[in-house]
Amino acid sequence: MLKSFVRVFLVSAVALVAMLPLSASAAGGGGGGGSNNGMTVTVGSPITLQDRLLVTVPVTVTCAATISVDPTVNQPGSIGVTIEQTAKGTVATGSGGVELDSCSPTPQTFLVQVTPNVGLTSSPPFHGGPAIVSANGVICDFNSFPQTCAFGSSPWLPIKL
């Protein structure tokens, strides 16, 4: 149940970030990184596939200014990763994420675990071969007014599982 709640939360956060306006210069590029509104998100390597059900993706985030959140008091930030791969006439899709309690100009790397989506429209498992990946992040300081938030995303990148 907790895993389903976390997945719904992360998908909602991804959707929220996706709806925010982006400029061409903020759309990212070069080396798997993107940046907008104070956060840079970069997909790293190696990306690994285990048992066709678990993909581990290194994601590095930095923020223009330091933001810290006490997760016992406020909702923490998050980093979300989505992977898509063609699979026998359909598309395997998976997502995963981690909690983000602080972000600063010092790069932080997280290993985000991605599993195929389950539910009414379950995804087939992943397989070795080409796929695409995108990552995003968001964190807000609810202790200040006006509220300070940083968010960013990487462009869709081709990878090999």
Side-chain angles (χ1 to χ4, degrees):
M1 179 61 100
L2 179 60
K3 186 175 179 179
S4 295
F5 174 75
V6 170
R7 184 169 283 170
V8 167
F9 171 75
L10 289 173
V11 169
S12 298
V14 169
L16 175 66
V17 170
M19 291 187 307
L20 296 170
L22 299 175
S23 67
S25 64
S35 178
N36 53 39
N37 198 26
M39 180 185 284
T40 301
V41 179
T42 305
V43 174
S45 63
I47 296 172
T48 60
L49 172 63
Q50 298 171 349
D51 300 324
R52 299 184 59 191
L53 293 175
L54 177 64
V55 180
T56 303
V57 181
V59 177
T60 301
V61 296
T62 57
C63 286
T66 299
I67 297 177
S68 295
V69 176
D70 180 352
T72 62
V73 177
N74 292 310
Q75 182 174 344
S78 63
I79 300 169
V81 173
T82 301
I83 295 176
E84 295 185 357
Q85 182 181 49
T86 57
K88 295 184 181 179
T90 188
V91 176
T93 303
S95 58
V98 296
E99 191 174 280
L100 184 61
D101 295 330
S102 67
C103 189
S104 72
T106 303
Q108 299 179 77
T109 299
F110 299 87
L111 297 177
V112 181
Q113 295 183 324
V114 176
T115 57
N117 293 340
V118 295
L120 295 176
T121 57
S122 294
S123 172
F126 297 113
H127 60 85
I132 57 174
V133 64
S134 180
N136 63 72
V138 62
I139 188 168
C140 294
D141 179 2
F142 294 102
N143 295 320
S144 64
F145 186 81
Q147 179 177 316
T148 304
C149 292
F151 59 89
S153 62
S154 74
W156 282 101
L157 299 167
I159 59 171
K160 183 169 182 171
L161 298 178

